[in-house]
Amino acid sequence: MKKVLLFIVAAAFLAAPASFGQSNTLMDGYLGKARADYASSAYFILSAAGVVPETASPGEAVEKARAQWGIEPPEGRDSLTLGEFSHLVMRAFGIPGGIMYTFVPGPRYAARELGYREFILDKPWPDRSLSGEEALSILGEALAWKEAGR
Amino acid sequence: MKKRAILAAVVLAAAGITYGMDFGFSVDSDSTFQRMDESEFIQKNTGLVWVAADLGETWEFHGALSGTLSSDDAEPVFYADLRQLSLKGLFETPAAGVSLVSVEAGRFREAEFSGRVLAHTLDGLRLELGLPDSTGRLTVGYTGLINKYYGSVMMSGADAADDADSDIILGPARLVGTLSWEFIELFSRNSLNLAAVLQKDLRSEDTVDTVYAGAGLNGPLGGGAYYDLYGWYGGGDIASFLLGGGLRWYRPDLRHAALGLSFLYAGGDDAGTSIYDGDNKGFLPVAGSAYGLAFAPTASNLAAAELSFSMKPWSREKDSVLESLQTALTATLFFKPVDGPFSEGQVDGSAGSGYLGMEIGGALNYRPFSDLGLGLSLGCFIPARDMFVDDYQDPWLTGKLYLSFSF
């Protein structure tokens, strides 16, 4: 199942000829990361959701998240937490949250929501790190959710 | 000591020594209306705080503390206990052919594969061995440190007396051991479970010691149909058996319709006077569930069959607020297979074996948000008049309204 989701994500990016070179290079490096980095994550999430074009750079994706939703990149580190990743996914894909997320939108309840929806198969703890492979698996679930017309 | 352990985990997490942690709260409200010989309304509100943390790459800490405000006359106004407090070590691929070994120590929930004989919190040690196509588990635990209002062990006259004594707050002192092995998809996606349960009463007199050996088989039948079948032999101070199983037919494409038919048989002792008197040879679980809401007897000298149907009527309306609403209907028939004692005192002690009655149940389960769950369950038990004592021969009603909010 995990491999299928990774294939969905890979196919979604590789299907765009203009971005083939950039996406392929980024994804190769991203998949091998023990801790997913914020800029690449923002790029994959926002471009998969259609918020930025595939030709955008990771930096442009970070700026878009800041400008559109006020989501600031983490200070003092390149990596992002599962909660921060989940928050970007929730915002980019317009996934509705629970009562607490509605009133206090942020990483904590975003991770809870994606855990409840079984996008996150491991522990849905917002402060833990996630690998590039797990990040793309979660993104694959979000893409499948979007494809199902939810 | 336990509070210190929680504090230590929180401090470790705050210091960044842990690899990750999370914590949360939940508030549950449980309103019950009962009408048997007289009407009664019981309100229980439970708050729970939990914490979980990775302590390095191998060990996990889990803790949960709950407190309950209760209007039940049989319980104190407030009671509390640790629901979980455990350290779990996960050792992946420690040896050739073994995929996982885990060790868990502390307070945790343990249940055998059927849930009919043992499903209870224990203080003890649990070892799991994961092989490519099977999983083994060995658990040893103690029940005597658990708040009795969160427990359900009831096997002897001394247990019943302690349960009625408001000065005693801890559960029965019993040592419980389980050894189980699950063979996953052994043939044609059918899984086999084998288990043994040992229960030793640690009281000095009027003890009830039991051992159980069980096997269960479950798997698909094709076309969305599934079955499960299990059996237990109970020995030691009892000498009887329990059989159970069922058929379930799922149709996700038909608004998540599910039709089920299940049965349970637990042997009795026609020579006994009470199932808790120590001489009873009929089947007696350690702490397991059976059937029913208004009428919920113990799986001892009991035969029951249940027909159930559930569906999500609005599951196709993807934007509807009622999309997650599940409706369920059940009809359960209860029988007393042999003369002799029965768990519920409303059943006439002089009545022999036979049909006890039927319960019609309905339920609504609704989760409009990931953090909010609502449930309404209704049960109406229609007793066989000649099997019950005078005040309990008219239909019994029980309604439960449940709300759970986590944050």
Side-chain angles (χ1 to χ4, degrees), chain A residues 97-101 108-109 112-113 116 123-129 150, chain B residues 20-24 50 52-54 60 323 367 369-372 405 407:
Chain A
I99 293 173
M100 291 305 293
Y101 182 81
R108 177 176 174 76
Y109 295 110
R112 289 276 180 84
E113 184 67 32
Y116 171 75
K123 300 158 194 159
W125 299 353
D127 294 332
R128 76 169 171 87
S129 61
R150 302 304 304 264
Chain B
M21 70 158 293
D22 197 11
F23 65 94
W50 59 267
D54 278 338
E60 293 175 5
E323 182 192 343
R367 185 167 280 277
F369 302 102
S370 58
D371 47 9
L372 178 68
F405 180 55
F407 54 100

